[in-house]
Amino acid sequence: MRIAAIVLSATALLPAAAAAQERSYCPDRPGIGTPACTMAPGQFSLELGLGDWTLERGEGQRQDSFTLGDALLRYGIADHAEVQVGWTMLGFARTRDSVGHTVDHRSGTGDMTLALRRNLVNPDGSGFSLALMPYVSLPVGRSPLGAGDWGAGMLVPVSYQLSDTWSLSSTSEVDAAVDEDGHGRHFAVAETVGATAAVSDAVSATAEYQILGDKDPQGHSVQHLAGLSLGWQPQDDLQLDLGVNAGLDRDAADVEVYFGIARRF
């Protein structure tokens, strides 16, 4: 695709990748926020959401959404930078109307996301780490996952390692989000903060809170979300994860449960 070719060509202007360095594996999964660390040059990370269930209830309706194969491919192009390609392979949505006694089923694939993460301080995520991450989403998917139009935004992930056990993180985000009707874009902003504890050498637990302000023409909303996730790394290059998010107000989804895997190559 033309846009993908432009993004990949732009990465050629960055410094040439050196030999892959030894650094701790830092997957994007799990959790709501985004890490500031980047992949070492020449290394890949394939991260896959194996299952995701989301429940939304309101006004006599209940919607259950399921996604399978939420994939993210990351590649280190320099000591401080990586490129990303994300795509959700398949999604289902079932909406039950208790008033009309009807059931609606929909299925489709997700949109594609292209991103560049440029770390500014400590690309391995140690100590204080900061990054900039512009992205663009391409409307290649179908309802209920596809947004219907292109979108774009900027993320600013920050993390601070307090000790060998505790670390803090935040992700600030500004988006040109796609309108609910699938035509045009509107302003949206989000802030996510979290705390991570190393339960053991292989297991970590993260608690997060997110506030999202969305100015969709169909209706403005402010959503509050809490999340708890666990990551287990039985090997240096492998992670398994499990997480749950809970909506704290009527605008947010009631609950989301997900699990997945990440592998470094």
Side-chain angles (χ1 to χ4, degrees), residues 187-207:
F187 180 73
V189 61
E191 182 67 33
T192 305
V193 294
T196 299
V199 180
S200 68
D201 290 341
V203 178
S204 62
T206 301

Side-chain angles (χ1 to χ4, degrees), residues 111 135-137 147-154 173-190 212-219 221 223:
D111 294 334
Y135 78 90
V136 60
S137 61
D149 205 342
W150 67 268
M154 170 71 79
E173 182 173 355
V174 178
D175 300 310
V178 179
D179 294 347
E180 186 177 350
D181 63 5
H183 301 285
R185 282 150 297 281
H186 62 274
F187 180 73
V189 61
L212 169 65
D214 189 282
K215 293 188 175 182
D216 193 289
Q218 302 296 319
S221 66
Q223 302 177 22

